[in-house]
Amino acid sequence: MKEKRCPFLETKTVTFCKAFPSKMIPVDRMSSSEGLCNTCNYEECALYSEVSGAGKGMENVRGFHLKSDYYYHPKHLWVAPSSGEEGEARIGIDDFSAKLIGRIDRISAPAAGVPVKENSVCFLLHSGQRTVRMVSPANGVVKAVNPRVAADPSIINDDPYSEGWLFSMRPKGDAVSGLYHESVARKWFESEVERLQRVFSTDLGITATDGGEALTDISIRLNDAQWGKIVSQFLG
């Protein structure tokens, strides 16, 4: 099967991106695995996302960001079926999870080839001495762990919906059946943000937002017992 390449690339005496013509790639590097332009992973390119519209669809829900064209599991995980390879999907956590957990400095993810079961714990996210046990949003087999996230887990906090994907998998059956999507995802997300606000104000006597924006240091404001309680309610 012919490998898909970025539709913005053309080959003349050099290879260049039509979306950003000053980005030149010498022809003799066409077979190189370095970079994204000449591989089937071009969809990871931030410029490609911006120009093609793939990066659009981000919504702000009371300071928390939501990419409503993804599919969401109730435990704040997203599933993005691949448009490039049939039967594959990427998995990640949403902005709600990222802000609630705090700065992620380590991950414990399943290796390629390991089967995972829907609603069963399959990876861990660590923030200092705190650890969150996250479930799989679908049944399937892990294909690959994001090497960038493995090397620098803080990417998850900075860009949870794109560069911060956790792992890819080959789902068994329909991976998105029963998950929240588009308008349903937004309504669910809004209700979760409201629920978080109530928990903070009623149980803890503090607020999770400031001037309509979600606090980036939510976890820092909580002691271990408070943090564990909230994480259990929303992510556990």
Side-chain angles (χ1 to χ4, degrees):
M1 182 182 294
K2 186 177 180 180
E3 187 180 65
K4 284 185 60 179
R5 295 190 185 281
C6 178
F8 293 113
L9 287 182
E10 286 187 354
T11 302
K12 301 295 185 181
T13 56
V14 295
T15 298
F16 68 96
C17 175
K18 291 189 294 185
F20 193 45
S22 63
K23 182 180 182 181
M24 300 291 184
I25 303 97
V27 172
D28 61 3
R29 289 183 57 193
M30 284 294 290
S31 62
S32 172
S33 61
E34 296 181 2
L36 300 175
C37 296
N38 293 311
T39 75
C40 60
N41 297 320
Y42 63 84
E43 291 178 346
E44 297 177 21
C45 172
L47 184 63
Y48 169 84
S49 296
E50 179 181 346
V51 175
S52 67
K56 298 180 180 179
M58 197 74 71
E59 301 181 48
N60 188 309
V61 181
R62 299 189 184 184
F64 294 88
H65 296 109
L66 173 74
K67 200 170 188 307
S68 58
D69 56 336
Y70 283 179
Y71 294 83
Y72 292 85
H73 183 275
K75 297 303 181 182
H76 292 275
L77 298 140
W78 56 259
V79 177
S82 173
S83 59
E85 185 172 345
E86 186 176 356
E88 184 180 338
R90 282 184 173 177
I91 310 298
I93 66 171
D94 63 16
D95 187 48
F96 185 98
S97 288
K99 285 185 169 66
L100 195 58
I101 293 170
R103 202 65 176 172
I104 299 169
D105 51 37
R106 288 175 294 129
I107 64 170
S108 300
V114 172
V116 293
K117 185 177 181 181
E118 183 179 2
N119 294 319
S120 293
V121 174
C122 74
F123 66 97
L124 308 179
L125 298 176
H126 309 276
S127 178
Q129 298 301 311
R130 296 170 171 177
T131 297
V132 182
R133 298 159 63 87
M134 304 293 290
V135 302
S136 172
N139 294 319
V141 177
V142 175
K143 181 182 179 184
V145 175
N146 184 351
R148 291 194 61 194
V149 161
D152 181 9
S154 67
I155 294 174
I156 301 171
N157 296 96
D158 298 332
D159 190 5
Y161 295 113
S162 183
E163 299 296 328
W165 62 276
L166 298 171
F167 62 91
S168 60
M169 67 183 295
R170 293 189 182 280
K172 292 183 178 179
D174 187 354
V176 300
S177 178
L179 299 183
Y180 306 125
H181 185 53
E182 295 185 335
S183 62
V184 175
R186 181 178 177 84
K187 290 179 180 178
W188 160 74
F189 200 75
E190 287 177 336
S191 69
E192 286 290 90
V193 173
E194 291 174 358
R195 185 160 71 100
L196 180 65
Q197 302 274 23
R198 289 195 300 270
V199 170
F200 265 61
S201 60
T202 303
D203 295 353
L204 305 177
I206 57 179
T207 59
T209 60
D210 182 14
E213 290 297 313
L215 298 176
T216 57
D217 61 347
I218 289 178
S219 64
I220 298 177
R221 296 164 65 92
L222 307 175
N223 60 40
D224 288 346
Q226 293 171 329
W227 181 85
K229 180 180 179 181
I230 290 182
V231 164
S232 177
Q233 288 185 50
F234 289 92
L235 310 181

